[in-house]
Amino acid sequence: MNQPPADITAFLHGVAPFSTLDAPEVEPIAGRLTISYHPEGGEIGAFDPPGEDGLYIIRKGAVKLVDPDDRMLERRGEGEIFGHRIGFAGDVESYRVHAIEDSLVWHLPAAELAKLVARNKAIATFLQSGHGARLRQHAAGRGTASRLGELPLREPVTAAPDEDLATCARRMAERNVSCLPIVEQNNLVGIITDRDLRTRVVAKGIAADTPVADIMTANPSTIGLEARVEDALVEMMRMGIHHLPVTNAEGHLAAVISSGDLLAVQSPHPLRLVRDIHRARGTDQLTALARQGPQMLAGLVKAGAGATELGRIAGRITDACTRRLIELATDELGPAPMEFAWLAFGSQGRLEQGLTSDQDNGLLLAEAPDAEAAEYFERLGEFVCDGLNECGYVYCPGGVMAKGKWRMAFDGWRRRFDRWIREPEPKSVMQSSIFFDMRAVAGDVALAERLHREVLEQARDREIFRRFLAGESLKHRPPVGLFRQFVQERGGAHSQGLNLKQRGVIPIVDLARVRALEGAIQVIHTEQRIEAAAEAGIVTAGDADDLIHALRFINDIRLKHQSRQLEAGEKPDHLVDPSELSGLHRRYLRSAFGIVTDAQSALAQRYLL
């Protein structure tokens, strides 16, 4: 075989899926290509079934793919391929290809393609599998964040429940550990920390011969060795703890990871930021700390954190700001006149925020307030919402905030949901959707959970409401237009791109919400909703997995785009120019949009829309 021209090899390096190969692997492929010219309007070939005639690569020009009835399926241009199995909407499998411009096309013969597929699993997956398999391949190829089991964790120092406090304190001092797991018959039953010894023992004058079981935290939260560092980080932020027991595959204690351990491997440090937020002495200090958040999150994106983990971390930072503002407000206003819950809706409620976010919140009061109590909660809502705005969580454009009208007693909230659900109409249904993403950030969590449970059960029993909600959700379509090309949107005087939030993320969030309401599923995180819908038989396990991978891929592209903007000193947006993406990532993005389109079609069929 003669050495192929360098320009052919260089061109192939930019063509998906050959862009995944190293140079020594690409050169033999380039040397086996044959080239043909096809005038505008000429038929290049019929692929029935696809995959038996090798692979075609468009060097110049453009082609159209049509079904057996000559209906347009897709347009493909320079640097794209055909001849292999392609996932179209519906049941279309075979297709024909016509040149719509004068075109130069390279052809890799079937025998050569078979050899390539046999020795390269990634190429085989790309050419022979559907949208979901391609995205799973991409996710596997990204590498995973560090697992806890990969860290140099120390063997845990433990105690038995019947050992006395003096013995436990001496052991902690001798072994230089800040916590002591309590183990009985090889099972973790509790934990004590040096802080517990100060606040629960010394400060209260507890006798040194008291069994440690009397003051330990029983049945502590745990995490598995297979979990990622980010998972441990999120769990510790959620619980407000600094020590987390780690268990092995059999569920037995393997180690204890501390916030110090995570700070040593995690840079930048959201745990430290949350700790400092909780200690902020006033709104000025809190604001300065909170405004470090976007750059810190961008650093995590750059370090390889996935969108799922980053959304949870971002949400916990917002939660910490909200709780500290509530504490500062009560310092100024005095104790609340009744029990209440501060509710987060939308992306904060779901723990799916990005690098920047507006606020969606409300106040749930235990009972109807009198005039004095109403004034108190009005001032509380203003204090916290104004503080969040100063922290960078801008006011909700739609006014969904506790400083506005979204401040009601339990009965008031129930009446509002009842009106939405019993008498649905497009505008009210559209406005109501984020309220089903309800989570208590502070206050009476049980009261909020009761409200959420009741409205879910009511929505499950009202199909007409869910039909309206499904119809509204289908208004957000993936940005793929005529010839299945990306449809770009203008976001300002000089910017345009694919709005990956409005046309990529929100369609999946909406789909998951409707499916969750079908089964009164109480989890609100989008991925968990999709998983729970599969467990309930509302969607298939395969479709659920495809949709989760599509969501992760779209969000990862969006967050990397935003982190680059922050690094350049620009205001982050959701408009991604497809020309910024590699050919492979553009193909993966089309696969992700294809999954969303199929899921929307299934939803439309379910509700006859």
Side-chain angles (χ1 to χ4, degrees), residues 183-351:
V183 175
E184 184 175 32
Q185 296 180 349
N186 210 26
N187 293 317
L188 178 69
V189 296
I191 192 171
I192 62 166
T193 66
D194 51 4
R195 182 179 180 184
D196 294 334
L197 293 176
R198 294 193 305 272
T199 60
R200 299 181 185 180
V201 179
V202 177
K204 295 185 178 180
I206 302 296
D209 60 356
T210 301
V212 69
D214 290 358
I215 67 101
M216 70 181 184
T217 299
N219 303 315
S221 295
T222 63
I223 195 166
L225 278 171
E226 76 287 350
R228 292 165 292 193
V229 169
E230 286 85 356
D231 295 329
L233 175 64
V234 171
E235 181 66 10
M236 293 172 78
M237 292 171 71
R238 182 182 75 85
M239 298 290 295
I241 56 178
H242 298 281
H243 301 86
L244 186 61
V246 182
T247 57
N248 59 24
E250 289 73 39
H252 299 145
L253 182 69
V256 175
I257 193 164
S258 70
S259 56
D261 295 328
L262 292 183
L263 294 180
V265 298
Q266 200 61 38
S267 179
H269 305 317
L271 263 176
R272 182 176 295 154
L273 177 61
V274 167
R275 180 197 64 191
D276 292 345
I277 286 171
H278 284 306
R279 297 175 179 176
R281 291 187 294 273
T283 53
D284 289 345
Q285 186 179 24
L286 175 61
T287 296
L289 289 167
R291 288 188 174 271
Q292 297 175 19
Q295 287 290 352
M296 178 174 291
L297 294 170
L300 291 173
V301 173
K302 194 171 182 179
T308 305
E309 294 79 17
L310 186 123
R312 288 173 172 152
I313 292 170
R316 295 306 177 190
I317 293 173
T318 312
D319 288 356
C321 292
T322 304
R323 292 191 186 106
R324 187 59 186 139
L325 283 166
I326 292 172
E327 292 167 354
L328 293 172
T330 54
D331 288 345
E332 181 177 308
L333 302 175
M338 68 176 72
E339 290 294 320
F340 70 91
W342 186 277
L343 304 177
F345 306 114
S347 60
Q348 184 190 355
R350 298 189 308 271
L351 293 174

Side-chain angles (χ1 to χ4, degrees), residues 391-457:
C391 287
Y393 304 102
V394 297
Y395 295 128
C396 173
V400 179
M401 292 179 291
K403 71 175 291 181
K405 65 180 181 179
W406 302 106
R407 192 175 59 249
M408 292 173 275
F410 186 93
D411 290 344
W413 281 102
R414 281 298 284 116
R415 285 193 297 272
R416 185 63 62 96
F417 275 103
D418 188 69
R419 186 159 61 250
W420 285 332
I421 294 171
R422 289 186 178 277
E423 301 173 4
E425 54 92 18
K427 184 178 180 181
S428 66
V429 168
M430 179 181 67
Q431 292 174 337
S432 73
S433 61
I434 66 166
F435 291 96
F436 289 95
D437 305 344
M438 177 193 309
R439 180 173 61 88
V441 172
D444 192 339
V445 174
L447 186 67
E449 289 178 344
R450 177 187 158 202
L451 174 63
H452 189 223
R453 186 169 56 251
E454 289 186 11
V455 299
L456 286 178
E457 291 170 354

Side-chain angles (χ1 to χ4, degrees), residues 9-136:
T9 303
F11 185 83
L12 276 183
H13 272 301
V15 175
F18 304 110
S19 53
T20 63
L21 304 179
D22 296 330
E25 296 177 285
V26 173
E27 287 181 1
I29 300 170
R32 291 174 171 83
L33 296 175
T34 60
I35 193 165
S36 57
Y37 167 76
H38 301 273
E40 179 181 344
E43 180 169 326
I44 299 175
F47 302 93
D48 184 13
E52 294 189 350
D53 192 34
L55 193 67
Y56 293 80
I57 304 161
I58 305 169
R59 180 63 183 89
K60 294 285 186 182
V63 305
K64 66 177 180 179
L65 282 58
V66 299
D67 69 9
D69 295 322
D70 222 30
R71 290 175 298 198
M72 171 68 74
L73 294 171
E74 190 171 330
R75 179 190 187 280
R76 295 200 169 188
E78 182 175 315
E80 296 192 285
I81 62 177
F82 60 88
H84 62 303
R85 176 187 171 190
I86 299 174
F88 301 108
D91 299 324
V92 178
E93 293 184 359
S94 61
Y95 57 92
R96 300 197 318 277
V97 179
H98 298 266
I100 55 177
E101 298 176 8
D102 292 345
S103 301
L104 288 176
V105 178
W106 285 331
H107 178 226
L108 181 65
E112 299 298 335
L113 179 62
K115 294 176 186 177
L116 175 63
V117 166
R119 66 176 180 261
N120 193 298
K121 184 178 179 181
I123 298 291
T125 299
F126 187 90
L127 296 178
Q128 298 174 348
S129 302
H131 297 313
R134 290 177 185 168
L135 292 181
R136 281 187 285 276

Side-chain angles (χ1 to χ4, degrees), residues 443-576:
D444 192 339
V445 174
L447 186 67
E449 289 178 344
R450 177 187 158 202
L451 174 63
H452 189 223
R453 186 169 56 251
E454 289 186 11
V455 299
L456 286 178
E457 291 170 354
Q458 186 179 8
R460 177 189 58 192
D461 297 335
R462 297 288 293 184
E463 182 163 343
I464 184 65
F465 171 75
R466 286 187 281 108
R467 183 176 298 162
F468 269 87
L469 194 63
E472 286 298 311
S473 75
L474 295 177
K475 292 180 179 178
H476 296 114
R477 297 283 186 174
V480 180
L482 188 64
F483 307 142
R484 295 173 64 87
Q485 299 305 294
F486 291 134
V487 178
Q488 301 192 53
E489 300 177 57
R490 191 163 295 280
H494 304 291
S495 66
Q496 67 175 20
L498 308 175
N499 191 323
L500 293 188
K501 179 180 179 181
Q502 290 293 331
R503 308 288 292 277
V505 174
I506 287 180
I508 301 176
V509 170
D510 289 346
L511 278 164
R513 184 186 296 117
V514 176
R515 294 305 198 180
L517 291 181
E518 288 183 31
I521 293 168
Q522 294 189 34
V523 293
I524 59 174
H525 188 271
T526 297
E527 289 186 19
Q528 292 176 343
R529 276 174 164 169
I530 295 169
E531 291 168 344
E535 291 173 3
I538 296 170
V539 298
T540 69
D543 289 346
D545 194 48
D546 286 353
L547 206 52
I548 288 170
H549 277 85
L551 176 62
R552 289 176 180 174
F553 182 79
I554 295 169
N555 254 331
D556 281 343
I557 294 293
R558 179 173 69 106
L559 292 175
K560 287 174 182 175
H561 165 74
Q562 291 185 334
S563 68
R564 288 193 296 269
Q565 289 180 308
L566 273 177
E567 191 173 12
E570 302 170 1
K571 182 179 179 181
D573 60 32
H574 308 288
L575 293 174
V576 175

